[in-house]
Amino acid sequence: MTGVQVYITGMGLVTSAGCGVFRTREVIRRGEKRIRPLSLFSVSQDNPLPVGEVGEFIETGGIPRTHCLALTAAREAMAGCMDVPDAVIMGVTTGGMLTTEQCLKKGDANPESFKYHSPNSVTEFMAHEWGCHGPVITLSTACSSGAVAIKVALEMLRTGKARRVLAGGADSLSRLTYHGFRALQLIDPQGARPFDQNRQGMSVAEGAAVLVLTASEEVPDHAIAEILGAGLSCDAYHPSAPHPDGTGALQAMQAAVRDAHVSLEEIDYINLHGTGTVDNDLSEARALNTLFLDKKPLMSSVKGAFGHSLGASGAIEVVVSALAVSEGLVPANVGCDVPDPELKLEPLMTPLETANIQTVLSNSFGFGGNNASVVIGSPGRVQPHRSSGLKRPSPLVVLGSACLTGAGNAEMSLRTVSEGRSCRGMVPDTVLIGGLPPRLIRRLGRLPRLVLSLASAAHDESRLKDSPGSIFVGTGWGALSETYDFLTKLFESGEQFSSPIDFVGSVHNAPAGQAAIRFGSVGPNITTVGGDYSFEQALMLAGLLGDVDDTLLVIGGDESHRVLSSLFDRSARDDDTPADGGGGLCLRRSESAAGLKTAVMFYETSRNNPSVISSLMVSLAGGERVRERYGAVFAGIPAGCRKRGEEQLREFLSISRFEGPVIDYRRFTGEFASASAVASVLAIRCVDGRELLGGLCGGKTVYLKGKGVLLVGLGDFVTAIEVIR
Amino acid sequence: MEKDLNILIHELKIKIVDTLHFEDITPDDIVEDHQLVGGDLGIDSIDVLELVMMIDKDYGIKIDNKELGEKVFANLTSLARFIHENLKSVGN
């Protein structure tokens, strides 16, 4: 059988070297350092700290800088490619934050100014530019985001869910990250000096890298390199510091090498994470020493040359690794004068231009102990043992579920719905905290408390003794309280003071990281940020990335914030009652386990996609199948796109000729981005009980007769999740 | 001097509880000579940096390197002494 391999067939870069792969290549060739004092925005301190800023960059009007960076890199990657990508998958940490900060600073309260705030708006922008209908997925796992996006793309290609994917990472500089890392005392005033004995920290940077990844049985003519494998792990140790022994980093590298089916001896070069902070470099060095002992390949970090561009860096470094493979260009570890003897590493001090590099390992680690390693190789160096045809995603079996709504916990919410009343409102504080110890949650704001409570309740309901191995969190807007508090304190102090606690908490994947620490979950730790469809993204990735036969937690949650919710979320703005909450599922990816099963059946944008409902019907295998398989449809129509959603629903019902009950569930949950997570829990309880909760259909009993429930998300995207017996 | 220091210690206890969002301990639970970081209170590196910001903001004193930080944050008395001495030196 011929196996499907994944090739890099196009790539584009923007770094502090400038726009275009060739500029970064030239800077690497010269061993140059592209770190300068910040000039993008003014800071109150006397001397702006050195950063990796894209100098020559020209912004297009009205679009945040991150979006422009991503678009520039994507245009280069897509040059000469006439085919529409099947999916766009990006790692982004701050999205339109630079613009949001400016607007908040000057008291702009026009929601229109914030329409590109979400990290997912970067990915959606790219999908729109190339007419890609989706999936459109945004990973926000801090500094590993770009590398995690490539892992997700790799699995989508391997499972045949896509043939061509646009994947990468992008982040612009912002006050949030500049002042945040400054408050953590993690910035080296002399510029990053990774692995140097006098290193004092990193240099915050910006940039974007986008790759065209193509699945093929044969090596494509224009293949630059091959993605051989990738591995993910979580330290489950601390919200911002890496595990001192590098155990998570080690686990990610081992998983990547195993996934790529290469031996350690085959690795010719390691593109190190190497940020230049004392603890990060030490932790990575310990992991490398454990793994490679004294037979270490060439290694270097490029963060002394370009700085650390956060969500972009993982993808940028995969491009740099591809250059090593395709051109023999190996970067020097710029910034390091005297390697720290304690690290027992020998980073490359001058660039190599004609090295014979067949296989590269690229490391990216981030806050929340979030680790990703990617293996890149020469195209076509395929060993027969790696050829196994298309991988099949396994079904997700439901072991436990829980939700939180304005009515309270799952039992209170179900009772309220059974009585035909709405749960809309904010989750009561006492319920939000649940049984969580005060010491554990003292630094946590509303969203991480919500996520931890859901994680504990869903896991408790499963009655499992063992901890979940991996955690998937979907959040429409992330930790709004921490973000708002950080920026408010910053602006109130004339940009003098910022809170390290708020900064660490503001990172989108902070709640998932907290859940990992709570459970000791060292497997993949994924956070997706996709507005009203974030939970669907998280559930989709659980089916792709969760280890088979391992226990997984999939959580969707959002907090209501008195200022930011109505600025960011147009559905929250259109509703009089502030609402929040979420749902959590404890699942097992298994062919054989008993229990209800759930899966994401469909995920496409409806923008410029007039046939989206027809495509949905194809994915669901036609109307007859829908009528046979599902006893009820739960429709999620966000208030912000109600008209369009209702039209889509009518079209779906007309084509499918579905005549069973249709529940407009936001009327019960209220308006918040991850309302679909609550609806999924309601669906699970209904399918489990073989009847719809009376209150959902005006008080009359509806038996499901062994059928399942289909959850259809409508509006800007059309999604489908099934829950079946 | 000792009187000033005691007032400062009392003030710092309240500020620590407030800055680090302790809900289950009161200012009186912080013992002056007990280890401040990594001890019973569960204060870690992020908390220390939050306190560094508070001290900069409220007293105008910077603690911007790890070696100094480790010395100053050994316990509450050492922290109060450091602030007290630096307040004097800037004539505050």
Side-chain angles (χ1 to χ4, degrees), chain A residues 320-337:
Chain A
V320 169
S321 301
L323 288 176
V325 164
S326 62
E327 302 182 15
L329 176 64
V330 186
N333 195 102
V334 172
C336 176
D337 290 331

Side-chain angles (χ1 to χ4, degrees), chain B residues 6-7 14 25 30-31 42-43 56 60 68 70 73 86:
Chain B
N6 284 336
I7 294 170
I14 297 169
I25 66 163
I30 305 175
V31 183
I43 293 181
D56 191 358
L68 178 65
E70 277 171 11
F73 284 99
N86 281 276

Side-chain angles (χ1 to χ4, degrees), chain A residues 183-185 238-241 278-279 433 438-439 441-443 449 489 496-502 504, chain B residues 19-25 40-47 49-50 52-53 56-57 63-66:
Chain A
L184 285 171
Q185 299 190 352
H238 188 268
S240 61
V278 173
D279 291 344
I433 296 168
R439 197 62 71 85
I441 58 169
R442 73 176 161 88
R443 287 198 302 226
R449 287 179 180 200
K489 285 177 203 166
Q496 285 282 337
F497 302 113
S498 49
S499 157
I501 290 180
D502 288 338
V504 171
Chain B
T19 306
L20 303 183
H21 315 295
F22 280 115
E23 286 170 21
D24 59 336
I25 66 163
D40 299 340
L41 301 174
I43 293 181
D44 70 1
S45 57
I46 303 178
D47 293 319
L49 292 163
E50 194 74 24
V52 164
M53 183 197 72
D56 191 358
K57 199 168 147 191
I63 305 167
D64 53 7
N65 72 72
K66 208 177 166 183

Side-chain angles (χ1 to χ4, degrees), chain A residues 442, chain B residues 9-22 25 30 36 41 43 51 54 73 76 79:
Chain A
R442 73 176 161 88
Chain B
I9 286 176
H10 180 68
E11 186 176 281
L12 282 171
K13 285 181 178 179
I14 297 169
K15 282 182 191 283
I16 288 172
V17 169
D18 188 42
T19 306
L20 303 183
H21 315 295
F22 280 115
I25 66 163
I30 305 175
L36 194 57
L41 301 174
I43 293 181
L51 294 176
M54 180 272 286
F73 284 99
L76 189 57
L79 178 62

Side-chain angles (χ1 to χ4, degrees), chain A residues 70-86:
Chain A
L71 211 55
T72 307
R75 283 195 179 123
E76 184 185 11
M78 286 293 287
C81 177
M82 304 306 284
D83 303 302
V84 175
D86 303 319

Side-chain angles (χ1 to χ4, degrees), chain A residues 39-54:
Chain A
S39 70
L40 183 63
F41 47 85
S42 60
V43 288
S44 58
Q45 296 78 36
D46 298 338
N47 299 313
L49 290 162
V51 297
E53 187 173 321
V54 181

Side-chain angles (χ1 to χ4, degrees), chain A residues 33 35 49-51 181-182 184-205 273-281 301 303-305 307-308 333-336, chain B residues 66:
Chain A
K33 187 180 182 96
I35 291 173
L49 290 162
V51 297
F181 283 110
R182 186 176 142 259
L184 285 171
Q185 299 190 352
L186 287 178
I187 299 186
D188 191 329
Q190 296 184 40
R193 293 170 280 175
F195 306 103
D196 189 274
Q197 61 177 1
N198 296 319
R199 69 189 182 282
Q200 286 180 35
M202 58 188 276
S203 298
V204 189
H273 180 55
T275 57
T277 70
V278 173
D279 291 344
N280 252 317
D281 291 1
S301 159
K303 292 193 178 77
H308 185 1
N333 195 102
V334 172
C336 176
Chain B
K66 208 177 166 183

